[in-house]
């Protein structure tokens, strides 16, 4: 690990080859316009404590908060098998040959975990197609006064609708949910290349992710 | 993020100041003796497929697998409140003022999550003291043929018993459990400084962890 940059490139090369599940595909918009306001908007969704300084950001919150037609944010449903949820996930990672029965069974298993497991989607209601998704796990801890930590996973936005901040919306939605559920922080793993996107969502680089494959 | 090395140092400095929960405290032994065998031992615990080449490693597995007296590996119990589980966690992160009632309630909440949440401990049965612990969360996915991913958290070994590979034992124990439960990989976040320890346990650097505090 003497050269992180090379290591990161190696890992990314491996990603491409293995088509691994850990690369978040997000909006590839490059505009830095109103970056601070976007961040404020994101955080504004998560907190009711609004200072005078944040009034402008509150307006921006509304701007980010109201999804334009034909998009709707909601929890994943078994019927999303037919609305292309797995085709969307294929833009992120290997999916394999998952039947409608297996999909429904897994969604029901997830639901049984209640507040500990949430998959959100954005649906294009005109096309009845899932265009963005992300997952939140809630970890129970004994430390931090029996605290909780949110883990965000599997963030992906359909390539046909990128550049409309849908990635930011699903991430902010889950970060807000994590805070509502009593988490003191939310964490995620991403490539170096996707870090600037998550920084726009209010995240900061923290540690190193390690993985062991079986 | 142009300079990872500095960023990492900054983050570590911040860790010290904030006494944050994400620094894994592990065995600080520096001997590289039999490093490959140690890794083989770790992996050996996880798989019954032993090739001829791995016979020697199988012996080492036994060496790592049999905990010396007075240590025992088991699941966390509510009575571990009185055996110093929280004092051990204080070597890793802020714990706060957790009552025995709150501890018991949280352990019961964790148990209700069944296979999705495991906290293991190593107890010194002579001293009736918890000397090591680690946590495994199991994430349900739709991708990867409705796969599962293990997340390892809160790895800590008591400073009085470091250098006896107890950290490696709890990590290998949880990685083995993750594999048994059907995970295709197990992941964790750690500082750059602790990465070599996790490499001994069979992990490789993968991505960047990002965090947002509320």
């Amino acid at each position: 690990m003497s050269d992180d940059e090379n290591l990161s490139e190696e890992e990314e090369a491996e990603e491409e080859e293995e088509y691994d599940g850990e690369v978040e595909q997000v909006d590839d918009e490059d505009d830095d316009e109103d970056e601070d306001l976007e961040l404020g908007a994101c955080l504004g969704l998560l907190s009711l404590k609004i200072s005078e300084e944040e009034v402008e950001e509150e307006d921006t919150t509304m701007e980010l908060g109201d999804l334009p037609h034909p998009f709707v944010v909601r929890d994943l449903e078994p019927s999303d098998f037919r609305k292309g949820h797995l085709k969307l996930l294929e833009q992120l990672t290997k999916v394999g040959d998952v039947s409608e029965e297996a999909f429904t069974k897994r969604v029901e298993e997830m639901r049984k975990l209640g507040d500990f497991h949430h998959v959100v989607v954005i649906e294009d209601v005109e096309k009845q197609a899932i265009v963005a998704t992300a997952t939140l796990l809630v970890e129970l801890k004994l430390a931090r006064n029996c605290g909780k930590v949110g883990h965000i996973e599997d963030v992906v936005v359909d390539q046909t609708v990128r550049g409309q901040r849908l990635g930011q919306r699903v991430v902010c939605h889950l970060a807000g949910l994590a805070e509502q559920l009593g988490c003191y922080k939310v964490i995620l793993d991403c490539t170096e290349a996707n870090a600037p996107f998550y920084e726009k969502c209010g995240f900061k680089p923290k540690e190193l992710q390690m993985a062991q494959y079986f």
Side-chain angles (χ1 to χ4, degrees), chain A:
Chain A
M1 304 218 311
S2 57
D3 189 337
D4 280 345
E5 204 57 33
N6 286 345
L7 213 158
S8 170
E9 282 167 12
E10 276 170 38
E11 293 295 323
E12 280 181 44
E14 197 185 312
E15 291 290 356
E16 280 177 29
E17 196 185 336
E18 291 189 6
Y19 205 57
D20 184 80
E22 295 310 301
V23 188
E24 279 83 14
Q25 301 293 332
V26 294
D27 289 21
D28 52 5
E29 53 179 337
D30 285 321
D31 58 324
D32 287 323
E33 174 195 34
D34 291 336
E35 186 167 328
D36 286 344
L37 287 179
E38 283 173 42
L39 173 56
C42 188
L43 296 173
L45 277 171
L46 318 182
S47 173
L48 296 174
K49 296 172 201 158
I50 298 166
S51 71
E52 278 181 28
E53 282 173 16
E54 288 166 331
V55 170
E56 255 187 62
E57 294 174 12
E58 187 187 13
D59 293 337
T60 319
T61 301
M62 294 307 292
E63 200 187 324
L64 186 65
D66 293 346
L67 258 176
H69 184 77
F71 301 122
V72 173
V73 181
R74 59 167 172 77
D75 290 341
L76 179 72
E77 295 171 1
S79 60
D80 292 331
F81 178 86
R82 298 186 180 202
K83 292 181 178 174
H85 189 261
L86 295 178
K87 283 183 185 167
L88 177 64
L89 280 179
E90 275 172 357
Q91 294 178 44
L92 173 71
T93 185
K94 279 182 192 164
V95 170
D97 188 21
V98 177
S99 67
E100 185 163 4
E101 190 186 351
F103 183 92
T104 301
K105 190 178 164 195
R106 176 49 54 98
V107 173
E108 281 165 4
E109 276 182 289
M110 289 168 165
R111 282 187 174 177
K112 280 183 190 159
L113 291 172
D115 276 346
F116 301 99
H117 198 294
H118 293 266
V119 184
V120 294
V121 298
I122 295 181
E123 179 183 354
D124 177 328
V125 290
E126 283 182 353
K127 294 181 180 168
Q128 295 199 307
I130 306 304
V131 296
T133 186
T135 298
L136 175 73
L137 309 177
V138 175
E139 174 196 353
L140 294 175
K141 286 195 180 279
L142 288 156
R144 297 264 178 169
N145 279 308
C146 293
K148 293 178 189 171
V149 172
H151 297 249
I152 290 180
E153 298 282 334
D154 294 343
V155 179
V156 56
V157 177
D158 185 78
Q159 55 198 7
T160 64
V161 294
R162 291 190 192 161
Q164 296 180 62
R165 297 186 186 163
L166 299 184
Q168 209 169 332
R169 285 172 199 273
V170 286
V171 171
C172 286
H173 182 87
L174 288 186
L177 185 56
E179 192 179 18
Q180 278 172 29
L181 293 171
C183 296
Y184 67 89
K185 70 173 177 181
V186 62
I187 59 176
L188 56 84
D189 299 307
C190 69
T191 59
E192 292 271 346
N194 281 335
F197 163 76
Y198 288 108
E199 289 185 34
K200 281 190 190 176
C201 296
F203 289 78
K204 289 183 178 174
K206 188 81 187 161
E207 294 190 333
L208 181 67
Q209 184 212 14
M210 309 281 289
Q212 179 180 151
Y213 285 78
F214 302 127

